[in-house]
Every structure is written in C-alpha cells, then in structure tokens.
Amino acid sequence: MSAKHQLLNQYDLHNTLFNNVLVDISEEEAAIRLVPAINNVKWLAGHLVWGQGGLARMGNVPMAVEWIDHYNTQIPHPPGPEIRTPSLEEIKTTWNHFSPLIRQGLENLPDEALNSPIEFPMPAFRTVEGLWTFINHHQAYTIGQVGILRRALGKDAMKYF
C-alpha cells in the first residue's frame, strides 16, 4: 500500500471521527470551558477546520472561510467574545462542505509530489508527505481532546463507526 493511500485512509477516518465526536453536543455544551486553561469543544472543532486548511493548500483546494484564522495556533487562548466565532453547526457544515473537495485534491496529488521538500520547523516533517503525516496526527490528537471533553460533559463515548 502506498504512503498516499495510507494517508488518504487516515483522512477518511478523521472525517468520520470529526462528525462522530460532535454527535449530541449542543451549542451551549460546546461553549463550556470546564476549566479556564483548556479549550472548549467549539474552539477545538474550529481548530480542526483550521487544520483542514493545510490539507486544502496541499491539495490545491481554495478554502475561503472568514473565521478560520481565529483558530490558528498563534492564538494562546480560545478567542474571546470580541471575536465573532461561528456556531458549532456552521463549523460542522464548513468541515463537511470542504472535506470531499480536499480529499479529491489530495487524491489528485501526484505520488512524486509527496517527496517535495518544504519549510517546516520539525526536521522529520520537511516533505509534503511529512507535513501531511503531521497534519493527520494533529487532527487525531485534537479529535481525541474533543472525545475527552464529550465524556466530561456526560456524553457517551465517541463511536468509531
């Protein structure tokens, strides 16, 4: 199995898990910060869409989302009330709109492009394949955080399928 095929399989899994981890979480629950120092479900879901932006660029898919930069990793804490944030439903709709477009772009990425060098602060991830691997890890890690928060909110554990 090629590296690209494995990365696409992970991408597909993340699409399933993104939707599954948010099942039955209300807008009010998504905004709850269990303690001041951690992100809430809604911020993490927006951050996952922000992570999709890296894959969109990699797959040459335009992804113009007005609120996406509020969720970049340069913000030390979740955005305050002075920054308009989308509803959880808008975040999910955005993810599900772009997901198949991004997947198609990644699937069309030539295999040889995976070895192309890129600038990235971590030496192990300085190729397109390495960056894609890192983004997949980021998505899984963040989905896991939402999974923990959903249990803390009294919800059933996330279903894989």
Side-chain angles (χ1 to χ4, degrees), residues 18 22 39-55 57 63 65 67-79 85-88 90-92 94-95 134-135 137-146:
F18 174 86
L22 297 173
N39 297 312
N40 58 35
V41 168
K42 189 163 93 165
W43 193 88
L44 290 168
H47 187 65
L48 283 159
V49 172
W50 174 82
Q52 290 288 82
L55 295 173
R57 285 186 296 281
M63 190 173 167
V65 178
W67 47 262
I68 201 166
D69 288 336
H70 299 321
Y71 295 92
N72 71 36
T73 57
Q74 302 305 311
I75 296 174
H77 299 289
T85 57
S87 67
L88 184 60
E90 185 179 351
I91 291 169
K92 291 190 290 189
T94 301
W95 174 285
F134 178 80
I135 293 172
H137 163 74
H138 170 273
Q139 300 299 71
Y141 178 82
T142 305
I143 289 168
Q145 290 179 36
V146 177

Side-chain angles (χ1 to χ4, degrees), residues 118-145:
I118 60 161
E119 291 290 323
F120 196 69
M122 300 166 84
F125 301 110
R126 290 192 176 154
T127 63
V128 169
E129 179 183 354
L131 178 59
W132 189 352
T133 300
F134 178 80
I135 293 172
N136 278 354
H137 163 74
H138 170 273
Q139 300 299 71
Y141 178 82
T142 305
I143 289 168
Q145 290 179 36

Side-chain angles (χ1 to χ4, degrees), residues 27 56 78 82 119 133 159:
E27 186 69 31
E82 71 282 359
E119 291 290 323
T133 300
K159 305 288 188 264

